[in-house]
Amino acid sequence: MPRFSSEHLCTEWTSINQRFTAEIQQFVINFSREHSASLSEHFYREMLADPAASQFLSNDEVQNRLGQSMQRWVAGLFASVTEDDVVRLIAEQRKIGEVHARIGIPVHLVLRGARCLKDRFVQLLHAVPNLTGEDQYAAMRLASDTIDLAMEVMGHAYSLSHDRNSRSEEAYRLFAITQNIANEKDQQRAALFDWENQLMFSQAIGTQPSELPRIQASDFGLWFRHKGIHAFEGSAEAGAVMDTMEEIDSVLLPLFGSDGSNAISQDSRVHLLRDLRDKVKSIRFHLSNLFERNDELESGRDVLTRLLNRKFMPVVLSKQISQSRAQKTAFAVLAIDIDHFKQVNDVHGHQAGDSVLQQLALILVNNSRSGDYLFRLGGEEFLLIAVDMDATRARTVAEKLRKSVEQERFLLYDGKELKATISVGVACFDGHPDYQRLLRKADDALYQAKNSGRNRVVVAMGGGVPEND
């Protein structure tokens, strides 16, 4: 029987309980319920004092939600009276391990948290009056052995999930490097050239330094910061491009007005423009080297719409959350669904439905930026990850999408036309490290948009209450 099969784990969990009397088991159940709040408070106090752990717990909403979850976990961990209880507890530990892997919490921090809980459990037991030394020892052993087994189950689930995520991440990296390589190369070269022209024009007409277009906020900058950096991860050239963009935005552009007068001297301007041109040349040089190393690969793209498919969505969201938390930036998720799409297939046939999906994908592409991510999740469901975007801008983007679709005439294979609309649910990253929660918020907002009349945008607010547009 495999070590971590459900049957083996049930047997092992049950055997732990059977080593102790029914009275000790019930005592530990009651004791953990009574002190769940104290145990939870001690756990988070200790973990927040650890710099490595505090980055996962610094968000207020995370602390509030996890504090309540921790209390429920502690109170229920020892309530394994029946076989069904044991099966439920094992499933719960596996789910927690998968969430830890998804968020990226290191295993050593989880184990440290377990040690904190056991230490606090012992401290509280010592304060129980009229408890014999033998019963005290038995209660400590039962609590410790149960927590240790729970950690084993979590750790195994973590390992399996982490391995899957690692394989997906590497596949995405290869895909991101190589998908549509020739088109991407030309598009990003053009985007870099467009930014350079915008900058030169803005500088020529005397635009204030603070208002000059920043390369990191340009189409090229967004693409490289959110896609290219992952595609070419680990290469010296990718790091050089990032450093050069930061130098342009933070050092060179502010110097165009640094002498305290309305206009810098002609010699200073010429020197800065030459320096700027050299920096852009170096970006082009590094970019060419990066692109030339790779061949074309199409795995991971939806065959019908050519958008990304579900395969890489977890990797993209995990990377986006890590980047947003590190850089203190926002991003938005737009869940998009075609209204009454089943009627299109039923009335006009699946070929017509495919045509509508392809044309909608094109509308989405034309209304998104190079740094954004577009997925077809299946059927008539799409997802847009809009980088560097707060709730106000996300609402505007979603409403623009909705209107574009509403005004479009979808051409069918037989020359006929039909009208279609979409409903959109919007959720913005609020600091919570689990991307599944963000997806659920977007889905809930989409569900409300569908149920409140369709052809509308609903934005999930920070507290989870959607707001109609």
Side-chain angles (χ1 to χ4, degrees), residues 165-181:
N165 292 344
S166 296
R167 288 193 295 271
S168 293
E169 188 164 335
E170 178 61 15
Y172 173 71
R173 190 187 72 80
L174 294 172
F175 166 75
I177 291 174
T178 56
Q179 50 96 9
N180 287 335
I181 197 73

Side-chain angles (χ1 to χ4, degrees), residues 281-328:
K281 279 185 177 179
S282 74
I283 291 177
R284 287 199 181 97
F285 175 75
H286 291 313
L287 197 63
S288 294
N289 286 342
L290 290 169
F291 275 120
E292 286 171 5
R293 294 178 184 174
N294 306 288
D295 299 318
E296 189 167 1
L297 177 72
E298 285 295 306
S299 164
R301 189 169 292 279
D302 178 58
V303 175
L304 180 66
T305 64
R306 312 308 298 155
L307 303 181
L308 293 171
N309 60 32
R310 284 180 176 273
K311 180 178 181 180
F312 298 126
M313 188 172 68
V315 177
V316 171
L317 282 168
S318 295
K319 285 183 175 292
Q320 193 59 50
I321 284 177
S322 296
Q323 191 168 353
S324 293
R325 286 169 65 88
Q327 299 178 0
K328 310 298 183 185

Side-chain angles (χ1 to χ4, degrees), residues 211-454:
E211 297 177 0
L212 291 173
R214 265 43 183 178
I215 188 171
Q216 293 183 84
S218 68
D219 276 351
F220 169 78
L222 288 173
W223 173 83
F224 197 88
R225 287 168 49 223
H226 293 278
K227 290 185 178 179
I229 192 62
H230 302 312
F232 307 117
E233 191 171 15
S235 65
E237 290 93 340
V241 171
M242 291 291 287
D243 291 342
T244 303
M245 289 197 299
E246 176 64 28
E247 184 178 358
I248 288 173
D249 284 352
S250 301
V251 179
L252 291 184
L253 296 187
L255 289 177
F256 279 97
S258 63
D259 65 353
S261 63
N262 291 330
I264 62 175
S265 67
Q266 184 63 22
D267 287 345
S268 296
R269 175 177 284 104
V270 170
H271 176 75
L272 283 173
L273 289 174
R274 285 175 176 170
D275 198 2
L276 188 63
R277 182 187 60 185
D278 290 341
K279 298 298 182 187
V280 175
K281 279 185 177 179
S282 74
I283 291 177
R284 287 199 181 97
F285 175 75
H286 291 313
L287 197 63
S288 294
N289 286 342
L290 290 169
F291 275 120
E292 286 171 5
R293 294 178 184 174
N294 306 288
D295 299 318
E296 189 167 1
L297 177 72
E298 285 295 306
S299 164
R301 189 169 292 279
D302 178 58
V303 175
L304 180 66
T305 64
R306 312 308 298 155
L307 303 181
L308 293 171
N309 60 32
R310 284 180 176 273
K311 180 178 181 180
F312 298 126
M313 188 172 68
V315 177
V316 171
L317 282 168
S318 295
K319 285 183 175 292
Q320 193 59 50
I321 284 177
S322 296
Q323 191 168 353
S324 293
R325 286 169 65 88
Q327 299 178 0
K328 310 298 183 185
T329 57
F331 72 95
V333 170
L334 280 66
I336 303 163
D337 190 273
I338 304 176
D339 298 326
H340 304 297
F341 184 70
K342 185 176 183 298
Q343 294 182 13
V344 176
N345 285 329
D346 291 345
V347 175
H348 301 281
H350 288 280
Q351 188 174 356
D354 288 348
S355 179
V356 170
L357 291 170
Q358 290 172 324
Q359 291 173 70
L360 175 61
L362 185 59
I363 293 174
L364 296 178
V365 169
N366 290 338
N367 285 277
S368 59
R369 303 161 300 169
S370 294
D372 297 333
Y373 295 88
L374 279 166
F375 296 85
R376 182 189 175 200
L377 302 185
E380 68 273 27
E381 299 178 26
F382 296 81
L383 189 83
L384 168 63
I385 299 175
V387 301
D388 285 11
M389 186 169 293
D390 58 20
T392 301
R393 289 181 60 203
R395 180 196 296 277
T396 301
V397 169
E399 186 58 28
K400 181 181 177 182
L401 280 175
R402 187 197 65 78
K403 289 180 179 177
S404 295
V405 175
E406 184 181 39
Q407 295 167 1
E408 183 75 12
R409 292 184 178 274
F410 290 84
L411 300 176
L412 305 185
Y413 65 95
D414 57 1
K416 295 180 180 177
E417 297 180 350
L418 63 79
K419 303 288 286 183
T421 60
I422 59 172
S423 297
V424 186
V426 181
C428 287
F429 176 63
D430 60 5
H432 197 289
D434 189 357
Y435 66 80
Q436 287 286 9
R437 181 172 174 273
L438 183 62
L439 291 176
R440 285 195 296 271
K441 289 177 66 176
D443 283 341
D444 289 345
L446 174 61
Y447 182 79
Q448 180 167 325
K450 302 289 278 188
N451 283 343
S452 57
R454 294 183 170 83

Side-chain angles (χ1 to χ4, degrees), residues 98-151:
E98 290 171 356
V99 171
H100 288 166
R102 192 162 64 229
I103 295 174
I105 298 179
V107 173
H108 75 274
L109 292 181
V110 178
L111 296 178
R112 184 177 185 276
R115 181 163 56 83
C116 289
L117 283 177
K118 289 193 287 186
D119 288 345
R120 181 58 176 165
F121 203 100
V122 171
Q123 292 174 8
L124 293 171
L125 275 175
H126 281 311
V128 177
N130 303 321
L131 187 65
T132 67
E134 184 179 351
D135 286 348
Q136 187 180 87
Y137 176 75
M140 286 189 294
R141 281 296 309 274
L142 174 56
S144 179
D145 290 353
T146 303
I147 291 174
D148 286 346
L149 182 55
M151 292 302 106

